[in-house]
Amino acid sequence: MKRRSLFLNTTAIMGFIFLYAPMIALIVYSFNKSKLVTVWGGWSLKWYGELFRNEQIIDAALLSLKIAFISASVAVILGTMAGYVLSRFGKFRGKMIFSGWITAPLVMPEVITGLSLLLLFVAMEGLIGWPSGRGTGTIIIAHVTFCMAYVAVIVQSRLSQMDETLEEAAMDLGAKPSSLFFLVTLPLIAPAIISGWLLSFTLSLDDLVIASFVSGPGNSTLPMVIFSKVRLGVSPEVNALATIMIAIVAIGVIAAMFQMRRQAKLLGRQD
């Protein structure tokens, strides 16, 4: 048992080092005074100041945050509806096809997804005149397309594990379908919805390939700007920006964990 425990602990430590050592190095070098990323020149906040004076990066970051927020919010609504239908509506005609359509973006290569959406937007513009060119709207539609698949899978999994007797008891007490969903089902699946929103937000914020296909001039997202800069050499400003993004994501994950624990405690008290 001791050897097994030592092996598991060693494996876990090595896994954490493999995952987080690059991030820690990036955070440390974001406070590097030297302009050369690989040469340590002492501690400094210089590049954070330079970052906030770089209008190109700031505009791209604000655009990416806007797209990610809208995409995640819309994806949560559509994905929750899809997951609810797949979990609660039993067998219906076309369920297999509908389930396949929902999960297809999970396994589809991003290049194929981006190219197919680009061709779709071009064809729609030629037929009905919308969307007029590629820009923020087309990026949001593209991100919602693949983000809602993740939300649907997460919500469906949560609903399949949920105790249906709570919903049955509410119906026996006279709850209408709409009241049942908003007062009973929705609070119970709230942790899954929050997780789906955070995952969608992260995926949208991180996307480069699909956005490159469906974006237009003047609508470069943050990953597109960073990628163009990295091709010419990593700038210390990029390290500072990445550190801020890591901090934002970490705060969101911690907040979600506290919400899930709070929800679990409430369910434990009800039991």
Side-chain angles (χ1 to χ4, degrees), residues 57 61 89 103 116 145 216 257:
I57 292 181
F89 276 53
T103 57
S116 61
T145 300
M257 289 175 60

Side-chain angles (χ1 to χ4, degrees), residues 201-240:
F201 184 87
T202 303
L203 290 171
S204 176
L205 193 65
D206 181 62
D207 176 64
L208 169 65
V209 178
I210 295 177
S212 298
F213 278 96
V214 299
S215 64
N219 294 104
S220 296
T221 61
L222 187 60
M224 295 169 64
V225 172
I226 292 176
F227 181 71
S228 65
K229 289 182 174 296
V230 168
R231 292 174 64 183
L232 301 176
V234 180
S235 169
E237 297 173 10
V238 175
N239 288 346

